[in-house]
Amino acid sequence: MGSMIMTNAVLWPVLAPVLAAGLTALLWNFRKAQRIVSMLGTLATFVAGLYLLRRVNMDGVVAVQFGAWAAPFGISFVADRLAAAMAAITGLMALATMIFGSADIRQREERAGFHPLFNGMLAGVNGAFLTGDIFNLYVWFEIMLITAMGLLAIGRTRAQLDGVFKYAVLNLLSTLLFLMAVGMLYGVSGSLNMADIALKLRGAEPSLTLVIVGVLLFCGFGIKAGYFPLFFWLPASYHTASITVAAIFAGLLTKVGVYACFRVFTLILPMETSGLGPVMAVIAAGTMVFGVFGAAVQWDVRRILSFHIVSQIGYMLLGLALATPAALAGGIFYIVHHIIVKANLFLIAGAIHRGSGSFDLRRSGGLLAAHPLLAVLFLIPALSLGGIPPLSGFWAKFMVIDATFGAERWWLAGLGLFVGLLTLYSMSKIWAEGFWKPAPQWQKRRRPVPAPFYAAIMLLAALTVAIGLFAQPFVAFAEAAAQQLVDPTQYIETVLGMRIG
C-alpha cells in the first residue's frame, strides 16, 4: 500500500478531489454529509500536494504513465518543482476557502451542486498542473471551465448569469485557439506528449508554422490568465460570484493560464527561439498599467481586487518575457505569493461585507472600531500586495524587478515600481473608506463576522508573514524550480525513460 502511494504520488492531487466530487454527488440530498466529505476532500488534496512536493524535492522530477503504454504513446502525469508547488498551493487554497465557506455557502447553493462542482474544479486545476500531455492540458482546461461556469452561476441571479456569459464567451474562444495550436503542433511533431515534442523540436529551424503555434498558444493562455488587452471579462464576472467562489477563482484560475505559459514557453517553444519575448514584455507592461488604473477608479471592493488580479499578472508575465534564471525564479515566487495574498484579500472582502453590510466602499466605514482584528488582518495582505517589507510581496517584487534591472530593461523596472505605488494607493483607499472613516449613520448596530471567516483569513495571513520573514528557503526553491525550466533535460528524460545527449 505504501509503495503504491509513493509510486503514484503524482496522481493523488487529482484523484482526491475527483473522489470527493463523486461522493458529494452521490450524497446529493445529504447536505451535512456533503460538507464533511468536501472538507475531508480538500484536506486530502492539500496533504497529497504536500507529499508530492516532498517527493519532488527529494527525488527530482517524478512521472507516471497510465496503463502499460510507455511515453510518448501513453498518457503521462509529471511533476517537477513548479508543478508540485502549484498542486500543493491548490490544496492549501481549497482548504482555506472551504473553512471560510462553512459560514458563507448558502443552502440553495449546496442544493444547486456547489460541492461536486467545487471539487471537480480542483481536479481540473491540478490536472492541468500535472499533465504531461498537451492535448490533456486542453481536456483539463475544459473540465475547469465547465465546473467554474457552474460555480459562477450557482446563485442564479441576473448579475451572475451576465457574468458567466462574459466568462464563457472569452474562455471558449481561448479554448478554440488552444485546440487549433495543439492540432498544428501535432502536425509538426507527430506527438502530443510535451517532453517528446520538446525533444523533437530541439534544434528545429524557425518556421511560420511554429510562429503561428506560439501566437495561438500565447493568445489562448493569455485570455485565461487575464493578460492585456483581453482581460476585461475578469473584472466583469468575478465580482458577481459568491465570495467563497470568487476567492478560489482569484487565487487559482488565472494562474493556470500563467502556469501553462511558463510550461510551454520554456519546454516546447523556449523564449529564445520563439521570438515572443519582446512582445510578452510589452503585454506585461500593458497588463500592469491597465489593471492598476482600472482598480484606482473603482469603489466596489471586489472590482478593485479583480482589476488587481490583472495588474499583478503582469509581473509574472514579465518574469517569463525576460526568461533568465533570475527572472523565472522571480515569476515563480510571485505566482505563489500572489495566490495566497489575492485569495486572502477576497476573503477579507467577504468579511468587510459582513461587517459593514456592503461591498461599496462609499457605504462602508467604521470597521477599525467595530472589528480591529479584521483591520490588522487586512493590512497584512494589502501591504504585501503593494510590496512593503518584510512581507512576501516585497521579495516577489524585488526578485522580478531586480531581474529586470539585471537584463537592462530599465523602463520595465521603473514601470514595475510605479505600478507598485499605485497598488498601495488602491489598498489605502480600501483602508480609508472601509476601516478608518466613521460608520454611516444608517448603520446603527455592530454586524458580527463569523469565526470561520477569521480562521481562514488568519491562516493565509500567517503564511504571508512567514514567507516574508523566512524568505530564503522559498527563494532557493524558486531558483531551483527556475533552473528546471531553463534546462528541462531531467523533465524530458524522466518522462521518456531515456538519456538524451
Side-chain angles (χ1 to χ4, degrees):
M1 181 68 177
S3 175
M4 185 185 75
I5 291 174
M6 291 182 64
T7 304
N8 298 299
V10 71
L11 301 180
W12 292 113
V14 179
L15 290 178
V18 165
L19 291 172
L23 283 173
T24 51
L26 289 173
L27 296 168
W28 191 274
N29 294 318
F30 303 93
R31 308 290 169 231
K32 289 183 179 179
Q34 277 191 324
R35 291 172 205 147
I36 293 170
V37 169
S38 204
M39 185 66 76
L40 291 175
T42 55
L43 180 60
T45 302
F46 179 43
V47 171
L50 284 180
Y51 179 73
L52 176 61
L53 186 60
R54 180 174 176 271
R55 276 288 312 278
V56 169
N57 265 335
M58 292 174 58
D59 303 334
V61 180
V62 297
V64 166
Q65 319 296 335
F66 279 87
W69 294 90
F73 305 105
I75 295 174
S76 301
F77 266 49
V78 195
D80 58 1
R81 282 186 170 87
L82 175 58
M86 297 303 286
I89 204 73
T90 297
L92 174 64
M93 290 303 102
L95 183 60
T97 51
M98 190 55 65
I99 292 170
F100 184 95
S102 65
D104 180 62
I105 302 164
R106 300 176 180 178
Q107 288 189 8
R108 68 179 183 182
E109 293 172 338
E110 291 181 315
R111 287 195 296 269
F114 171 84
H115 294 288
L117 288 169
F118 183 84
N119 286 285
M121 187 193 70
L122 295 179
V125 169
N126 274 342
F129 291 147
L130 297 172
T131 185
D133 182 289
I134 197 162
F135 180 78
N136 281 295
L137 178 60
Y138 156 77
V139 172
W140 290 114
F141 269 20
E142 287 300 285
I143 293 171
M144 185 179 71
L145 174 62
I146 292 167
T147 51
M149 286 193 297
L151 288 169
L152 196 57
I154 203 164
R156 290 169 288 183
T157 65
R158 184 167 185 163
Q160 286 183 342
L161 294 175
D162 178 65
V164 79
F165 177 77
K166 295 171 183 174
Y167 179 84
V169 169
L170 264 296
N171 278 274
L172 287 172
L173 172 61
S174 166
T175 298
L176 177 62
L177 296 175
F178 183 20
L179 194 57
M180 290 169 59
V182 169
M184 294 178 70
L185 197 57
Y186 180 75
V188 171
S189 65
S191 180
L192 293 171
N193 183 285
M194 287 191 281
D196 191 44
I197 296 171
L199 186 60
K200 289 181 176 179
L201 294 185
R202 275 194 171 187
E205 293 294 324
S207 68
L208 179 61
T209 302
L210 289 178
V211 170
I212 294 172
V213 167
V215 171
L216 288 174
L217 288 172
F218 181 62
C219 291
F221 297 150
I223 292 172
K224 292 186 180 297
Y227 297 166
F228 169 82
L230 297 172
F231 62 84
F232 53 84
W233 60 269
L234 194 157
S237 58
Y238 274 24
H239 76 284
T240 65
S242 70
I243 284 297
T244 301
V245 172
I248 199 75
F249 278 21
L252 290 178
L253 291 200
T254 52
K255 309 313 179 298
V256 179
V258 174
Y259 169 84
C261 274
F262 270 69
R263 178 63 64 203
V264 167
F265 292 111
T266 57
L267 178 63
I268 297 175
L269 298 169
M271 285 288 99
E272 61 269 18
T273 59
S274 69
L276 287 173
V279 177
M280 281 194 181
V282 172
I283 292 177
T287 303
M288 287 190 286
V289 170
F290 280 87
V292 80
F293 277 115
V297 299
Q298 302 299 321
W299 287 98
D300 186 309
V301 65
R302 297 166 301 176
R303 290 181 68 87
I304 292 173
L305 297 177
S306 295
F307 273 103
H308 274 301
I309 296 173
V310 176
S311 173
Q312 302 297 303
I313 290 291
Y315 289 95
M316 304 168 205
L317 182 59
L318 184 57
L320 179 60
L322 299 176
T324 63
L328 289 171
I332 292 168
F333 193 103
Y334 212 106
I335 291 170
V336 174
H337 139 77
H338 189 258
I339 288 173
I340 297 170
V341 165
K342 184 55 65 175
N344 202 15
L345 283 169
F346 266 89
L347 297 183
I348 291 170
I352 289 173
H353 179 259
R354 283 293 183 96
S356 67
S358 178
F359 287 110
D360 190 332
L361 293 175
R362 291 166 295 190
R363 295 172 55 83
S364 302
L367 289 173
L368 177 59
H371 302 283
L373 177 58
L374 181 63
V376 173
L377 291 173
F378 166 75
L379 285 176
I380 293 171
L383 294 176
S384 183
L385 193 71
I388 299 300
L391 301 168
S392 63
F394 168 76
W395 299 108
K397 278 189 171 61
F398 175 81
M399 290 176 71
V400 172
I401 292 174
D402 183 60
T404 309
F405 278 121
E408 299 184 350
R409 304 289 184 91
W410 315 111
W411 70 277
L412 286 171
L415 189 64
L417 292 170
F418 173 69
V419 169
L421 290 175
L422 288 182
T423 302
L424 283 174
Y425 165 76
S426 293
M427 295 301 105
S428 65
K429 181 178 178 179
I430 297 174
W431 170 262
E433 296 291 330
F435 292 90
W436 187 260
K437 78 177 184 186
Q441 292 297 320
W442 56 267
Q443 190 178 322
K444 296 181 180 179
R445 63 183 180 86
R446 183 178 184 272
R447 294 170 177 265
V449 175
F453 282 27
Y454 279 113
I457 292 167
M458 289 173 71
L459 170 63
L460 298 183
L463 280 169
T464 301
V465 173
I467 293 173
L469 293 178
F470 306 100
Q472 183 53 41
F474 297 94
V475 172
F477 179 89
E479 290 173 344
Q483 194 56 46
Q484 287 184 329
L485 296 181
V486 171
D487 180 13
T489 300
Q490 186 186 14
Y491 183 101
I492 297 170
E493 290 180 343
T494 302
V495 174
L496 300 180
M498 57 182 283
R499 299 283 297 176
I500 58 176

